[in-house]
Every structure is written in C-alpha cells, then in structure tokens.
C-alpha cells in the first residue's frame, strides 16, 4: 500500500481525521464555558476564560518551531502518533478537572502536544504531492481542521444533554484509539531526513535533503527575504482567524440574543462549511494557475483573503441571523482559499529540508497573534465592545494583502528526484 500510486491521497485521508481531532479537542472548550462555569466558578469571568484559551495558544506557539525542527529530522509517523496520543489523553483528563488551575495547566499541556502535529502533517503531505496536486491535498487536509472546529461547536449541545465531563471523555478515548490505527496504516515519505539530494525541475542537484544543523536551518529560513513577507502575511489573518475560533460563538450569542447551545453550532458550522467550499475553489484553482504563472498560488490566496475584509466588518456590526451567518460564510470561503495555499506558497520560497521548521516559525507567530487577540477580545467582551473590535481586524488583513501582492517573489520549487519528470519550466514569472 505504501508504494501504491494512491498512497499520497491515503495519507491525506488518514491525516484528515488527525486534523479533525486536533481542532475538535481544542475547540470544545470555547463552547462549553456556560456548562463548565457551573462547576468551576472562575470560568464565568470572560477574562479568566480568555486566560485559559490564551495559555494554550502561548505554549502552542512557543512549541511550533521546536516541532518543525523535530519533524525535519525524525520519522514523522511516530511524531504524529505520539502527539495524538498525548493530546487525546489530556482531553480525557479534562473531564476530571475540578478547579480552574487544573483546567489551566491541562490546556498548557495540550498546547505542547498539539503543536507537534500541524508542521509535521503539512510537511508530510507536501512531500507526497507534486505542484499539480499540492494545494488541493493541503486544502482537503485543512478541511479536517474546519470540521473539527464545527463539531467542537456541538460541545455545548452534548454537554446540555449529558455533561461536559462526558464530552471530554468520549473524544479523548476516540483519539487514543485512532492513534493505534495509525501505527499500522501511516508511513512517512521514503528519503525523508536522509542524505539524499534534492533536484529542481530542471534536473539540477541542490542542497542535501538530510539533517541540517539547527543554526543552518534558521540561517537559511531567516535569511530569505520572501519568508519575512510570508511570515507577516500568515500572521495578520491569524488575528481574525483565531478570533472566529475562540469568540465567534460568543459574538453570535450576544448579537442575536440566543443561548450558547444554539450559537456555538451556528457559528462554527457556518465557518466550517464555507471554509471547505473555499478549499474546493482555492485548491484546484491554485494548482492549475501555478502551472501557467509562478505567482498563481499568491493570486489565488490573496483573492480569498480579500473576501474576509468585508465579512469582518459585517460580523462586527451585524445583528440579524442573515447578516451574521452570511458574513461567516463569506469569511469561511475566503479563509479557506487563503489557508489551502500557505504551505504550497512556502514550498516556492523555502527548500524542502527546511519546510517543517519554516512552517513552525510561521505557526508560532500566527498563534501569538491568536493569543493576543484572544486576550484582547476577552476584555472587549467584558466591556461590551466585542463586535466593534472584531471589525477593526479588517485593517490588519488589508495591510498583509497589499504587502504580499507587491513584494513576495516566489521561485522554483526543490523536490525529491522521483516527484517531477518535466525537464523544463515554461511558466511566466
């Protein structure tokens, strides 16, 4: 099975469920505040709840570059299996939490374990797929994150019928079982972290794709000007991206005057379905466009990001079901088109042996943006300004979009020898 032509897509399918659990386990807490605060009174204060959500992001962000460095140097299968096991065990343990401090430190531990997954999984998929299918493959995988986010919205609904303890227990056990399944079905790309040399599409030998030193990895990545542009481009939309993950159910509940058990699924499902539509649009469009124009992925991504700007304004000031759901759908489509192209664009500016590390750095800065906006919007909620502050995030997104279009210079990708047989590259610069 590992050597079959279908295995690159099997990898996407296997990791889709890991991505689902990755976001599901972290997202459930955001919709179960009202249930948990009955037993843990400190969670009734929005600022304290923001601290719980924020500590996850802070630890997750700090660990992301470390995760990338590890993923560039070890068998990624075992890194994925191990991280899934740990964060699922933490999810199960949250069902036994009785104090604010227990919830706080379990969320911190979840940040460590979950950080190991995304740079690892995306780098693995990027290695298994060529430029002809890479954006679509990444996008399908990212739809697992959106699905996990959407299902996390049902945490409050399940908790209302059973208990919040039961929700954590069920999904923690599911993750541990699936980790065992991956031991038998998931395999890493042959040649990863080896001494083989990469080649460009022109057949030229490039730098070894083995195990570069940590200092060399950071030197190559941070010495690439386009990476700094990509870093800001990735970080800026993370402000509204994390805001929708952690505070959109609260915004829906407050602006529409409905209970969280209804607002949670409405908000998360709207975003998730729309994001998947964005993936189906942005993935194939990018894969086709880049065959004709080397900036095709950039154009696809920025078109999507432009759609999030009016949606943020409408989310901030909308006060009807049609306005808020419509804004969430527009945001989801745009963010899906943006999200599906981040790793493929990174593949155009960073050599293969440094990609997980580079994505880890990007993920760290994106999560730090999420940490900041989570705390800020926690205070905004207490002050009654959540909607207005949501709309202001559109300014940061606009700045990133303009910077990307004007200054990013993509280049020819470096791939494993067996990935591309085309001898020349006739794409426009």
């Amino acid at each position: 099975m590992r050597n079959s032509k279908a295995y690159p897509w099997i990898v996407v399918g296997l990791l889709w469920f890991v991505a689902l659990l990755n976001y599901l386990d972290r997202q459930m807490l955001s919709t179960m505040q009202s249930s948990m605060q009955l037993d843990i009174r400190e969670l009734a204060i929005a600022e304290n709840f923001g601290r719980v959500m924020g500590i996850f992001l802070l630890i997750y962000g700090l660990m992301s570059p470390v995760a990338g460095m590890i993923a560039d140097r070890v068998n990624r299968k075992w890194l994925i299996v191990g991280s899934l096991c740990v964060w699922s065990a933490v999810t199960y343990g949250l069902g036994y939490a009785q104090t604010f401090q227990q919830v706080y430190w379990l969320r911190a531990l979840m940040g460590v374990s979950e950080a190991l997954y995304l740079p690892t999984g995306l780098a693995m998929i990027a290695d298994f797929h060529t430029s002809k299918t890479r954006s679509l493959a990444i996008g399908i995988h990212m739809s697992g994150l959106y699905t996990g986010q959407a299902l996390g919205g049902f945490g409050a609904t399940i908790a209302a019928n059973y208990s919040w303890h039961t929700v954590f227990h069920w999904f923690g056990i599911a993750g541990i079982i699936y980790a065992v399944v991956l031991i038998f079905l998931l395999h890493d790309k042959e040649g990863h972290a080896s001494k083989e040399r990469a080649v460009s599409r022109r057949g030229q030998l490039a730098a070894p794709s083995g195990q570069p030193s940590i200092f060399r990895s950071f030197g190559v990545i941070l010495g690439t000007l386009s990476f700094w542009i990509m870093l800001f481009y990735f970080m800026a939309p993370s402000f509204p991206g994390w805001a929708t993950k952690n505070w959109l159910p609260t915004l829906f509940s407050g602006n529409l005057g409905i209970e969280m058990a209804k607002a949670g699924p409405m908000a998360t499902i709207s975003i998730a379905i729309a994001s998947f539509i964005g993936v189906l649009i942005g993935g194939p469009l990018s894969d086709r466009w880049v065959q004709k124009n080397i900036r095709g992925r950039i154009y696809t991504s920025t078109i999507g990001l432009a759609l999030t700007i009016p949606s943020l304004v409408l989310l901030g000031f909308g006060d009807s079901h049609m306005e808020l759901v419509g804004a969430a759908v527009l945001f989801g489509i745009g963010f899906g088109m943006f999200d599906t192209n981040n790793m493929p664009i990174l593949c155009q500016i960073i050599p293969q042996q440094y990609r997980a590390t580079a994505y880890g750095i990007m993920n760290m800065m994106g999560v730090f943006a999420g940490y900041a906006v989570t705390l800020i919007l926690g205070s905004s909620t207490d002050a009654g300004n959540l909607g207005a502050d949501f709309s202001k995030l559109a300014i940061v997104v606009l700045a990133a979009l303009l910077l990307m279009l004007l200054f990013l210079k993509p280049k020819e990708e470096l791939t494993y020898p067996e990935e591309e047989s085309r001898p020349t590259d006739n794409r426009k610069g």
Side-chain angles (χ1 to χ4, degrees), residues 197-213:
R197 295 178 66 84
V199 296
S200 71
R201 287 197 180 92
R202 300 179 190 276
Q204 298 169 326
L205 285 174
S209 61
Q211 302 178 12
S213 70

Side-chain angles (χ1 to χ4, degrees), residues 286 288-299 348 410 425-429:
S286 174
R288 292 194 192 99
W289 205 341
V290 78
Q291 303 304 316
K292 299 178 181 180
N293 189 313
I294 198 170
R295 294 176 63 84
R297 298 201 192 281
I298 296 173
Y299 294 147
Q348 293 183 289
D425 189 340
N426 297 318
R427 295 172 297 170
K428 297 178 182 178

Side-chain angles (χ1 to χ4, degrees), residues 95-287:
Y96 289 106
Q98 297 178 344
T99 68
F100 175 81
Q101 290 299 319
Q102 289 174 345
V103 174
Y104 185 86
W105 290 113
L106 282 171
R107 286 287 290 184
L109 181 56
M110 180 177 283
V112 175
S113 54
E114 287 210 356
L116 294 171
Y117 173 65
L118 196 57
T120 309
L122 290 180
M124 181 184 286
I125 292 172
D127 282 0
F128 270 104
H129 286 265
T130 69
S131 65
K132 294 179 180 179
T133 60
R134 185 169 288 141
S135 280
L136 179 60
I138 294 290
I140 292 174
H141 169 267
M142 299 302 279
S143 73
L145 303 181
Y146 311 144
T147 305
Q149 181 182 349
L151 293 178
F154 283 97
T157 306
I158 299 174
N161 291 281
Y162 296 93
S163 73
W164 61 270
H165 309 275
T166 301
V167 177
F168 286 124
H169 288 160
W170 283 355
F171 290 109
I173 292 172
I176 293 171
I177 292 173
Y178 191 63
V180 175
V181 172
L182 291 181
I183 292 175
F184 300 99
L185 298 181
L186 184 65
H187 304 285
D188 203 349
K189 174 80 173 182
E190 291 184 3
H192 170 68
S194 73
K195 298 298 183 182
E196 294 181 9
R197 295 178 66 84
V199 296
S200 71
R201 287 197 180 92
R202 300 179 190 276
Q204 298 169 326
L205 285 174
S209 61
Q211 302 178 12
S213 70
I214 293 175
F215 293 109
R216 174 169 173 76
S217 296
F218 278 101
V220 171
I221 294 167
L222 300 180
T224 303
L225 177 60
S226 290
F227 176 75
W228 288 96
I229 298 170
M230 184 68 188
L231 184 62
F232 181 76
Y233 179 75
F234 182 86
M235 183 178 68
S238 295
F239 285 102
W242 281 101
T244 58
K245 292 180 181 71
N246 291 338
W247 289 107
L248 194 59
T250 303
L251 182 68
F252 269 50
S253 179
N255 286 12
L256 299 178
I258 58 178
E259 58 190 20
M260 186 64 77
K262 294 181 180 178
M266 183 186 301
T268 57
I269 290 175
S270 299
I271 290 283
I273 293 176
S275 297
F276 184 65
I277 294 173
V279 163
L280 295 180
I281 296 171
L285 176 61
S286 174
D287 286 334

Side-chain angles (χ1 to χ4, degrees), residues 24-85:
L24 173 64
D25 288 351
R26 75 174 71 169
Q27 184 69 24
M28 289 187 298
L29 185 62
S30 69
T31 63
M32 291 198 296
Q33 179 186 10
S34 58
S35 297
M36 296 179 69
Q37 70 187 24
L38 298 176
D39 298 312
I40 304 174
R41 296 302 179 89
E42 292 92 336
L43 294 177
I45 302 172
E47 188 173 354
N48 281 340
F49 188 69
R51 286 175 56 206
V52 170
M53 304 300 287
I55 188 61
F56 169 86
L57 296 177
L58 180 61
I59 301 299
Y60 183 95
L62 289 171
M63 280 297 299
S64 289
V66 178
M69 288 187 289
I70 296 172
D72 280 331
R73 291 164 173 78
V74 304
N75 187 297
R76 294 173 294 202
K77 164 187 173 174
W78 295 110
L79 194 57
I80 291 170
V81 169
S83 63
L84 174 58
C85 265

